[in-house]
């Protein structure tokens, strides 16, 4: 009779990385460190640049600050992916792809912010500032409860409630600043208040990516980036259709037929390429 441990071990090779994937992850790790250092050292625009001229245009966070934050988020997700895969020497069936999907989303935000036209950059910076202020305000409002007596047992509760009230006040002030900026700069109000859906933001960011790279030659950056992002998103939302595309059926001599997930390294590689293309848009 076949040993149970021997049968169970048949799933391991499906998850092990190849030498090629290992090399890709090592290069990614090095690139993440380099670009993270670049963004940290260059988060302030160069004097005389268009972004530098816009630094004082807004009373809230500028395009360059928001873009640097989004870029660092993307790089951190990519760094985690490479670190995990190299340490474990394997891919997971779902979670590894979720992290890369988040990297693409954050990289797309950075690319979307740094649009070619100044008015668009200002609108998008205000749009994102407004999104973040509203989200922080809602999160803080949920932590405001009824008043409790100022007794030792209520100290933690009262401290958290007061902190939440102050956060709501700060966010209200930020939202008022955004409205003032929109009026002063004579920008289109609906461009600030209309929050773009993730898939629309991905498409608009993809339009800024060079179409000359080999991995976009079939359908172009917009279609290729949108399709890969959508596939990776299935992993993030508990939908198995993307994983089923590469599932393998293994026959267990003891328990019968079972399905073993077979995570494809090529999808991970393409997702990583897309994230980097959005961060470093060059031909």
């Amino acid at each position: 009779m076949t040993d149970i441990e021997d049968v169970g071990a048949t799933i391991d090779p499906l998850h092990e990385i190849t030498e090629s994937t290992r090399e890709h992850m090592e290069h990614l790790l090095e690139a993440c460190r380099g670009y993270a250092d670049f963004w940290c050292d260059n988060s302030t625009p160069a004097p005389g640049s268009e972004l530098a001229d816009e630094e004082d245009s807004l009373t809230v966070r500028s395009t360059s600050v928001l873009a640097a934050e989004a870029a660092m988020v993307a790089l951190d997700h990519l760094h985690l992916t490479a670190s995990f895969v190299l340490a474990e020497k394997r891919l997971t069936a779902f979670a590894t792809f979720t992290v890369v999907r988040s990297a693409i989303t954050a990289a797309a935000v950075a690319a979307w912010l740094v649009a070619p036209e100044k008015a668009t950059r200002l609108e998008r910076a205000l749009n994102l500032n407004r999104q973040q202020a509203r989200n922080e305000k809602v999160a803080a409002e949920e932590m405001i409860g009824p008043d409790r007596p100022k007794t030792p047992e209520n100290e933690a509760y009262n401290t958290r409630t007061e902190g939440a009230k102050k956060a709501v006040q700060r966010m209200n002030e930020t939202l008022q600043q955004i409205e003032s900026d929109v009026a002063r700069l004579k920008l289109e109000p609906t461009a600030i208040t209309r929050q773009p859906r993730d898939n629309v933001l991905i498409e608009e960011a993809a339009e800024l990516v060079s179409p000359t790279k080999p991995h976009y030659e079939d359908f172009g950056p917009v279609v290729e980036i949108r399709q890969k992002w959508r596939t990776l998103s299935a992993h993030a939302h508990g939908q198995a259709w993307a994983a089923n595309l590469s599932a393998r059926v293994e026959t267990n001599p003891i328990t019968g037929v079972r399905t073993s997930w077979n995570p494809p390294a090529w999808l991970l590689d393409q997702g990583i390429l897309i994230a980097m293309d959005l961060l470093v848009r060059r031909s």
Side-chain angles (χ1 to χ4, degrees):
M1 178 179 289
T2 307
D3 190 284
I4 292 292
E5 291 185 0
D6 291 339
V7 173
T10 59
I11 196 172
D12 291 340
L14 300 180
H15 295 238
E16 290 177 357
I17 62 172
T18 63
E19 182 65 16
S20 175
T21 298
R22 184 191 63 77
E23 291 178 357
H24 288 170
M25 292 300 131
E26 288 178 345
H27 291 155
L28 174 61
L29 206 59
E30 183 177 351
C32 286
R33 291 173 181 143
Y35 285 121
D37 289 343
F38 170 82
W39 280 98
C40 287
D41 295 341
N42 298 276
S43 56
T44 300
S49 66
E50 290 187 357
L51 288 179
D53 293 340
E54 295 169 24
E55 284 293 286
D56 297 328
S57 297
L58 303 179
T59 56
V60 290
R61 290 182 300 169
S62 65
T63 301
S64 62
V65 171
L66 293 169
E69 289 176 351
M72 291 302 290
V73 170
L75 289 169
D76 195 45
H77 280 77
L78 292 174
H79 188 279
L80 177 65
T81 300
S83 298
F84 168 82
V85 172
L86 288 171
E88 296 294 321
K89 298 183 176 62
R90 68 186 182 96
L91 303 180
T92 65
F94 306 101
T96 315
F97 301 94
T98 297
V99 179
V100 173
R101 180 259 194 183
S102 296
I104 292 175
T105 304
V109 170
W112 177 78
L113 284 165
V114 191
E117 302 81 15
K118 178 179 179 178
T120 303
R121 290 195 297 271
L122 292 173
E123 287 174 349
R124 290 179 177 180
L126 288 168
N127 185 300
L128 187 58
N129 272 298
R130 184 175 181 273
Q131 288 180 45
Q132 295 191 17
R134 285 170 59 86
N135 288 339
E136 185 173 347
K137 179 182 175 181
V138 170
E141 287 174 336
E142 293 177 343
M143 301 304 296
I144 299 176
D147 292 337
R148 291 183 183 179
K150 294 183 178 180
T151 58
E153 58 269 22
N154 291 328
E155 183 177 357
Y157 170 87
N158 288 332
T159 299
R160 296 179 71 189
T161 297
E162 286 304 312
K165 289 178 180 178
K166 291 178 180 178
V168 170
Q169 182 179 348
R170 287 197 309 273
M171 292 309 102
N172 282 334
E173 292 171 356
T174 298
L175 291 169
Q176 289 174 358
Q177 288 176 310
I178 292 170
E179 289 183 6
S180 297
D181 283 347
V182 173
R184 176 172 50 81
L185 296 169
K186 296 180 173 57
L187 299 174
E188 175 55 49
T190 57
I192 315 303
T193 58
R194 184 178 58 247
Q195 180 174 340
R197 296 172 62 88
D198 280 353
N199 63 313
V200 174
L201 192 149
I202 293 290
E203 290 175 7
E204 291 179 343
E207 291 173 354
L208 304 173
V209 172
S210 171
T212 61
K213 297 187 176 182
H215 41 286
Y216 301 128
E217 64 183 7
D218 290 337
F219 297 100
V222 173
V223 173
E224 293 284 4
I225 290 175
R226 183 179 57 206
Q227 193 272 343
K228 297 301 182 299
W229 176 83
R230 194 180 302 278
T231 303
L232 293 166
S233 293
H235 296 284
H237 294 288
Q239 300 176 13
W241 66 262
N244 285 333
L245 294 175
S246 59
R248 261 176 63 176
V249 176
E250 292 291 330
T251 301
N252 185 311
I254 296 177
T255 62
V257 177
R258 70 178 181 188
T259 298
S260 299
W261 303 116
N262 186 28
W266 63 264
L267 177 59
L268 199 70
D269 288 342
Q270 289 188 3
I272 290 166
L273 281 173
I274 286 170
M276 295 303 287
D277 287 342
L278 288 165
L279 286 174
V280 189
R281 299 191 306 281
R282 63 186 177 208
S283 58

